[in-house]
Amino acid sequence: MVAFWKFTALRVGLMAAIFIACLYLRLGIVYSAIAAAIMAWCITYLFFRKWRDAAAAAVAYRFSGSRGSIRTSTEISDAMAEDALAEKDGIRVDPDRRRPGAAPDGTR
């Protein structure tokens, strides 16, 4: 994720510099913002391909699900203890089953 934040900082920095330059040229706030956004996008698209690809790869890896569990070691050990207890006592857990007479939202 460092690559993502590095690329984002680059793009925001370029936008700020271009925005200030456009304000100095008296373009106005709205036109300066539009020009800064477009020019920063173009500059990063044309000249910073490696950074952009690294940021895209970092985001894809983050949301791919191929990385490890995001649960803490305490949560994992608690889940394992609950599973062991349920298997030992023969408890069957069915989260889709409702209590008889329960409302659809789980209230009485």
Side-chain angles (χ1 to χ4, degrees):
M1 282 312 272
V2 173
F4 170 77
W5 290 114
K6 188 166 83 169
F7 183 70
T8 301
L10 170 73
R11 189 172 275 180
V12 169
L14 280 172
M15 283 180 64
I18 295 169
F19 179 76
I20 291 170
C22 289
L23 282 179
Y24 181 73
L25 295 173
R26 298 183 183 201
L27 235 73
I29 292 177
V30 175
Y31 288 127
S32 295
I34 293 170
I38 292 171
M39 290 174 70
W41 181 85
C42 290
I43 291 169
T44 55
Y45 184 79
L46 292 174
F47 301 112
F48 293 95
R49 179 180 181 167
K50 289 182 183 177
W51 287 26
R52 186 179 68 245
D53 290 344
V59 171
Y61 177 73
R62 171 70 171 94
F63 291 105
S64 69
S66 62
R67 60 191 189 95
S69 174
I70 58 174
R71 298 191 313 177
T72 64
S73 60
T74 304
E75 291 173 324
I76 292 171
S77 65
D78 285 349
M80 289 173 56
E82 289 171 0
D83 291 344
L85 185 63
E87 288 174 5
K88 183 182 88 171
D89 292 339
I91 300 171
R92 182 175 176 276
V93 178
D94 186 5
D96 294 331
R97 195 175 129 220
R98 295 190 184 107
R99 291 188 323 251
D105 63 353
T107 60
R108 259 205 182 287

